[in-house]
Amino acid sequence: MKHIGKTYDKVDAHAILSGKPAYTADFIPPNALIIKVLRSPYAMAKIIDIDTTLAMKIPGVEAIFTYKDVPAHRFTLAGQTYPEPSAYDALILEETVRYVGDEVALIVAVDEIAAMKAMPLIKVKYQVLPPVLDMHTAIDHETVIHDEDDYFVNFPVGENPKRNIACSYNHTVGDIEKTLKECDYIVESTYSNQATLQSAMETFRSFCTIDHLGRLCITSSTQIVFHVRRHIARALGIPASKIRVIKPRIGGGFGSKQTAATEIMNAFVTWKLQKPSVIIYSREEANTCTTSRHARDWTIRLGATKDGIIKVIDMHAITDAGAHATHAYTTTTAGEHKSVPLYNKVVAGHYGSECVYTNHTPGGAFRGYGATEALWPLESAVSLLAHRMGVDEADLRKKNLIHAGETSIFYEPGEIMTSGLFEEALEKARTMARWDERPHSWQIDERYRGGLGMALALQGSGVANIDTASVEIRVGDDGYYTLYTGSSDMGMGSNTILRQIACEVLGCPVECMNVIESDTDVVPFDPGSYASSTTYVTGTAAHMAATELREKIIQAFANYFHTSVDQVEFDGVKASTSDGTEELSLKDLAPKLLVGTQCQQLMATASWGSSISPPPFMVGIAEVKVDTYTGKVIPTNFYAVVDCGTIINPNLVRVQAEGGIVQGIGMALYEDVRYGKNGRKETAGFMTYKLPTRQDIGAIHVGFVESYEPSSPVGVKSIGEVVINTSAPAIHNAIYNAVGADVTTLPMTPEKVYMAMNEEYKAM
C-alpha cells in the first residue's frame, strides 16, 4: 500500500497550530446582532404572561421574541436521517417550559451589554407545576410533560406522551424462565449509569447572514450540516433551498453537535430581521441547555451452565429522556446490537427499555450511543458470574465469544458477524497486561490494594440500511484533485483519512489533493459524522469515486495519445504509453480538456450505503490501586486492544483510542450530572462537573489486531466509538478484584467504594 497504513499529519494540523482563523467564532461578521436567551427558572411551568415593554427601552435592543412570535411548526433537534425516529416535540419558543434553563425569550441587541441589561427587565408570570424529577415515577405522573395536541412521530416507537413515555422497546427471544431453571449459576443485579456531558472545548455557537440571493447562510459548529438545514426549513416553514449551512473547524463534538442547539434560534432571528446575528453559549448553557448522555437504571440476569456456557442474558432499563425525546429511541435500541451479541451461545434473552420524559435537560447523542450504557451492566455482570463460578474472567469470555461467520439470537435472520479477530485481540490484551502472569488482586502496601479487571466491547460502523454518503472528486485546471464531502471532521482526522483512501486509488501523493467539507451549497449529501460512519461509509464512497475518476483520467489520456486504455500507464500525476513513446502530466493535460468543443471536466461522484454495520471490537483491561482508608480509586494502567479492520493512519487511530478510553475513565470515576431538589442542575460548570486531567488517568497502552472487513473495499471498520465502551466495566471489575467492592452506580466515587468495602453501600 502506498498511503493506507501510513501515518500522515492531519490536513489542518499546521493551520490550527499556527493560530490561523479556523473556528466558527473566527468568522463572525462585525455587525452581527447578539442573541441572548432568557431561560426558565422552573423545571415545569406554563407561561401565563410575558411583558417585554421595559426591556425594549434599553438602548441597543433591536428585538425581543417570545413564543407568540415564532412559527408553530414542531420539529426534533436530533441530527438523524429523515424520517427521524425522534419525536417532533419542540418549538423554537413555547408557552410551556420543561426544564430549568429552557428557552423563554430571545433578546436581540447590538452588543452583549445591552442584551444583558434587558434580560432582567422582561417580566414573566408562570404557573408552576409539580416537576417530574425521578424517572421511576415519571410514568402516569400527575404532570404530563408533553400534552400538546400537535405532538408528532414519523412512525411508532412505543411512545405514549400522555403517560410520559417517550418511547419503549422490548425484544425477547426464547423462554427465559425455562432456560434459567436449566442453568447451574444465575447472577442478578442492578446497575445505574449517570448522565454525562460531552464537554467539548468549543461551546455551541453559530452565526447567520442573508446572502446576495436573499438566502439564509448559517455558519455553525455542527456535525450535521444537511440535517441542520432540514430542521431549520421545517421550523421556519421555508424551503431548504433557501438555506445554506457551513461548518468550519469544530472544537470537539463527541455527539453533542449532532443536535441543533443554537442554529434554529439564530436562523429565526436573521430571517425575521433580515440582519446578521450570532449566538454563543456560555459554558453554563452548554452544560445545562443542550443534551447529555441518557441516565439509565438497569436490571440484568445472566444464567450459565457448570461447563461455562452463558445461556441467558436478560437486560432491561428505565431511561431518562429528559424534557425532549432527542435521540431517545435510537440510543435505547442501539445498545442491543452492540452488547448482547458478544456472547452467541445464548439461547434465551431479552433486551429492552422504557424511556420516559422528565423535567431534566434532554438526553442526546454521546460517543458510544447506547452501547456504552449497555456494556456497563453486561460486562460487570459477566465478571461477577465468573467469580460465582470460580473461573477466570477472560476464560469465561473466550468460551462464549462470538466469532466471524457466526450469528446471534438477537440478530435479524441471515445476519452474521462478517469479520473480526476477536479471540486474537483477547489474547493480545492478556499478554500486554500480563493477565496470566500475575494475580488480579494484590496488596501494594499497608494502605493500598491493586486490582486488574477486564471488559469487552462491540460497536458499529454506520447505520445499516439508513445512512449513506456521497463523495465527489474533481480534477482542476491545474491537474490537482479536490475531494468534496458532507462529512464533518471534528478533530479526529477524517478529512486526512478520506484523502489517504482516495489517493491510494488514484496513485498520487496526498499533497496533490485538497478536501472541501460540510458546505451544503458545495458538497454532495452526507448525513454527517456520527454513528462511527465516516471511515467505513464515506470512505467507501471516496474509494468508489476515486476508482471511477481514475478510469476517466486514463480514458482521457488514451484519447490524447490516440491509443487504447490498456496501453496507458498512470501513476496519479503523469501518464505514459506502455511502449514509452508518449508521456504527459495531468497538470499539462487538464487545461487542454477545458477548452474547445470537446471540453471535459474530469470528475466523479459516488454514493454508498451499507446493508450491514460491521462491528469493531475492543478488549480493555484496567489496573487500579484502591486506597482502603478512603475508597479512592487511582487508575494506574489501562491496556486496550482494538480490532477496527484495516488501519488507515496508525497515529490517528491510536489517538482515537486513547481519547475514548479517557472519556470512559471520566464516566467511570469522576463525571456526574447532578440535580437539586427543584430540578436545577448543580453541575453547570467545570468547578462542579469534574473532568479527569492527565494526572487522573494513569498510563494508557493501546494495541491493534487487523481483521479485514469484506464489505469495505479496503477492509476498514470504525474506531471512534468502541474505544469508550470498556473503561467503566473494566474499572468496576478491577475495583471488585482489588477490594471486593461491588459498586453498581456510576461514577464510582471514593464514598461509594468505601461504603461497598464496608458492606454499607447496599443500604444506601
Side-chain angles (χ1 to χ4, degrees):
M1 293 286 190
K2 190 173 182 179
H3 300 299
I4 290 176
K6 306 296 191 299
T7 289
Y8 290 95
D9 291 340
K10 292 193 289 186
V11 295
D12 55 358
H14 298 291
I16 298 298
L17 290 172
S18 63
K20 292 181 179 179
Y23 299 91
T24 298
D26 294 328
F27 305 104
I28 297 170
N31 62 334
L33 295 170
I34 305 298
I35 302 171
K36 289 295 179 180
V37 184
L38 175 66
R39 299 187 178 278
S40 170
Y42 302 110
M44 184 71 191
K46 300 278 189 182
I47 297 174
I48 303 302
D49 184 57
I50 183 165
D51 185 354
T52 63
T53 307
L54 285 176
M56 280 298 299
K57 293 180 180 179
I58 296 297
V61 173
E62 291 251 343
I64 298 174
F65 297 111
T66 71
Y67 71 89
K68 301 173 185 178
D69 305 305
V70 300
H73 306 302
R74 289 204 174 268
F75 53 85
T76 175
L77 291 172
Q80 300 167 315
T81 295
Y82 180 84
E84 303 97 336
S86 296
Y88 290 5
D89 61 7
L91 293 174
I92 301 172
L93 296 168
E94 198 164 352
E95 197 172 1
T96 300
V97 287
R98 297 183 172 89
Y99 66 96
V100 176
D102 206 352
E103 296 87 2
V104 173
L106 304 180
I107 305 161
V108 187
V110 296
D111 56 36
E112 187 172 348
I113 294 173
M116 297 308 292
K117 281 183 178 178
M119 188 175 293
L121 299 179
I122 300 173
K123 304 304 179 185
V124 188
K125 283 185 181 179
Y126 296 95
Q127 178 190 355
V128 181
L129 301 172
V132 182
L133 300 177
D134 182 353
M135 58 182 162
H136 293 282
T137 61
I139 296 177
D140 298 326
H141 193 280
E142 62 176 302
T143 297
V144 177
I145 294 173
H146 283 278
D147 60 355
E148 60 268 21
D149 294 332
D150 55 348
Y151 182 99
F152 178 74
V153 289
N154 284 305
F155 49 85
V157 292
E159 78 291 345
N160 190 338
K162 302 302 182 186
R163 301 185 63 204
N164 288 332
I165 300 174
C167 62
S168 61
Y169 174 81
N170 286 282
H171 182 198
T172 301
V173 184
D175 190 328
I176 294 173
E177 301 306 326
K178 178 177 180 294
T179 309
L180 281 173
K181 291 177 182 178
E182 299 168 358
C183 293
D184 301 295
Y185 297 92
I186 298 173
V187 165
E188 182 171 358
S189 190
T190 59
Y191 296 90
S192 298
N193 67 264
Q194 78 285 36
T196 51
L197 300 172
Q198 298 89 341
S199 302
M201 291 176 67
E202 180 192 33
T203 63
F204 302 82
R205 56 199 58 202
S206 58
F207 68 85
C208 191
T209 60
I210 301 291
D211 71 11
H212 65 290
L213 298 175
R215 301 162 69 232
L216 280 170
C217 183
I218 300 98
T219 302
S220 171
S221 176
T222 181
Q223 301 172 221
I224 46 161
V225 289
F226 284 97
H227 293 333
V228 166
R229 185 177 69 171
R230 186 178 69 254
H231 293 331
I232 291 171
R234 178 178 176 86
L236 269 58
I238 64 176
S241 61
K242 291 186 178 294
I243 303 166
R244 178 185 185 185
V245 183
I246 302 169
K247 178 214 76 93
R249 188 76 163 82
I250 297 181
F254 313 116
S256 66
K257 292 170 184 173
Q258 198 188 337
T259 299
T262 63
E263 296 90 343
I264 297 177
M265 292 183 287
N266 201 195
F268 166 75
V269 168
T270 291
W271 190 247
K272 190 84 170 177
L273 299 179
Q274 294 291 294
K275 294 181 179 180
S277 67
V278 61
I279 182 167
I280 297 177
Y281 273 11
S282 66
R283 178 57 59 185
E284 181 175 352
E285 288 176 302
N287 280 19
T288 304
C289 310
T290 55
T291 61
S292 65
R293 190 184 296 280
H294 294 86
R296 286 188 168 94
D297 285 353
W298 294 90
T299 300
I300 184 169
R301 293 188 296 174
L302 301 181
T305 53
K306 59 186 176 182
D307 56 352
I309 303 301
I310 300 173
K311 294 287 189 180
V312 175
I313 299 178
D314 179 12
M315 298 177 63
H316 194 85
I318 185 77
T319 299
D320 188 346
H324 295 283
T326 313
H327 295 279
Y329 183 74
T330 40
T331 56
T332 295
T333 56
E336 178 183 33
H337 251 52
K338 301 164 185 177
S339 59
V340 286
L342 269 171
Y343 305 112
N344 73 326
K345 294 178 174 59
V346 172
V347 297
H350 167 78
Y351 182 96
S353 179
E354 279 69 53
C355 191
V356 298
Y357 284 115
T358 67
N359 293 118
H360 288 155
T361 299
F366 193 159
R367 189 180 203 165
Y369 204 85
T372 311
E373 299 94 297
L375 286 160
W376 147 244
L378 177 61
E379 286 301 281
S380 297
V382 168
S383 285
L384 184 60
L385 177 63
H387 284 290
R388 296 275 177 88
M389 298 176 70
V391 300
D392 184 271
E393 299 170 53
D395 290 341
L396 179 63
R397 288 178 167 88
K398 183 177 179 180
K399 179 172 282 192
N400 290 277
L401 190 59
I402 194 169
H403 294 83
E406 297 179 346
T407 190
S408 164
I409 64 167
F410 292 93
Y411 280 173
E412 298 294 330
E415 185 179 356
I416 64 168
M417 183 69 68
T418 53
S419 65
L421 298 174
F422 300 163
E423 194 169 308
E424 292 83 346
L426 179 58
E427 292 304 317
K428 184 170 182 175
R430 290 172 80 154
T431 300
M432 284 174 59
R434 297 184 293 114
W435 179 270
D436 299 315
E437 301 171 20
R438 54 177 173 154
H440 302 160
S441 178
W442 65 94
Q443 193 74 37
I444 297 173
D445 56 29
E446 179 185 346
R447 181 168 180 170
Y448 292 97
R449 287 192 58 82
L452 279 180
M454 173 182 288
L456 310 183
L458 294 173
Q459 193 66 41
S461 302
V463 183
N465 295 308
I466 295 179
D467 284 331
T468 62
S470 297
V471 168
E472 181 179 313
I473 308 176
R474 300 179 196 169
V475 178
D477 59 0
D478 60 354
Y480 279 72
Y481 303 92
T482 302
L483 185 152
Y484 298 86
T485 174
S487 63
S488 295
D489 193 328
M490 298 177 287
M492 69 283 203
S494 61
N495 288 346
T496 308
I497 296 295
L498 296 177
R499 186 169 73 161
Q500 286 182 246
I501 292 172
C503 291
E504 184 70 45
V505 175
L506 292 164
C508 63
V510 294
E511 294 78 15
C512 292
M513 181 170 290
N514 295 315
V515 180
I516 306 296
E517 59 159 334
S518 298
D519 181 338
T520 57
D521 269 11
V522 176
V523 301
F525 179 83
D526 189 292
S529 294
Y530 61 88
S532 298
S533 62
T534 307
T535 300
Y536 175 67
V537 180
T538 312
T540 299
H543 190 281
M544 293 167 62
T547 300
E548 181 182 339
L549 181 59
R550 181 179 174 84
E551 292 171 356
K552 289 182 176 181
I553 293 170
I554 292 173
Q555 181 65 64
F557 274 113
N559 295 342
Y560 187 82
F561 293 150
H562 302 290
T563 187
S564 60
V565 294
D566 60 352
Q567 295 300 307
V568 175
E569 297 177 358
F570 177 59
D571 65 2
V573 175
K574 65 181 184 302
S576 61
T577 54
S578 299
D579 59 10
T581 59
E582 299 277 2
E583 182 176 289
L584 189 70
S585 69
L586 186 58
K587 179 180 179 181
D588 291 328
L589 176 66
K592 299 178 188 298
L593 297 174
L594 297 176
V595 296
T597 58
Q598 302 299 314
C599 66
Q600 177 188 9
Q601 170 78 63
L602 290 174
M603 57 188 294
T605 302
S607 299
W608 190 76
S610 180
S611 61
I612 61 173
S613 178
F617 175 77
M618 179 180 179
V619 184
I621 298 177
E623 180 180 339
V624 303
K625 68 176 184 179
V626 181
D627 186 339
T628 59
Y629 292 4
T630 66
K632 182 179 180 180
V633 178
I634 303 169
T636 54
N637 290 282
F638 198 97
Y639 305 91
V641 176
V642 182
D643 174 6
C644 57
T646 300
I647 293 174
I648 305 296
N649 188 313
N651 273 10
L652 295 186
V653 170
R654 186 173 303 278
V655 169
Q656 282 285 292
E658 292 171 348
I661 290 165
V662 170
Q663 282 187 307
I665 292 172
M667 182 177 178
L669 296 176
Y670 309 112
E671 300 178 44
D672 190 14
V673 170
R674 298 191 308 275
Y675 292 91
K677 63 180 182 179
N678 295 320
R680 182 176 296 277
K681 190 174 285 186
E682 296 177 338
T683 48
F686 289 152
M687 292 298 290
T688 50
Y689 187 80
K690 297 297 185 180
L691 295 170
T693 69
R694 183 63 188 85
Q695 295 177 319
D696 302 316
I697 60 175
I700 296 173
H701 316 269
V702 179
F704 297 91
V705 295
E706 291 188 74
S707 62
Y708 188 91
E709 171 50 46
S711 62
S712 162
V714 293
V716 301
K717 294 185 286 190
S718 72
I719 180 70
E721 292 185 275
V722 70
V723 289
I724 197 174
N725 291 340
T726 62
S727 300
I731 290 172
H732 167 273
N733 298 335
I735 295 169
Y736 186 89
N737 285 337
V739 294
D742 185 15
V743 184
T744 59
T745 64
L746 297 178
M748 293 174 282
T749 59
E751 295 85 352
K752 293 177 185 177
V753 174
Y754 184 81
M755 286 187 282
M757 288 166 52
N758 293 276
E759 298 185 347
E760 296 172 12
Y761 174 78
K762 293 180 180 178
M764 286 182 62

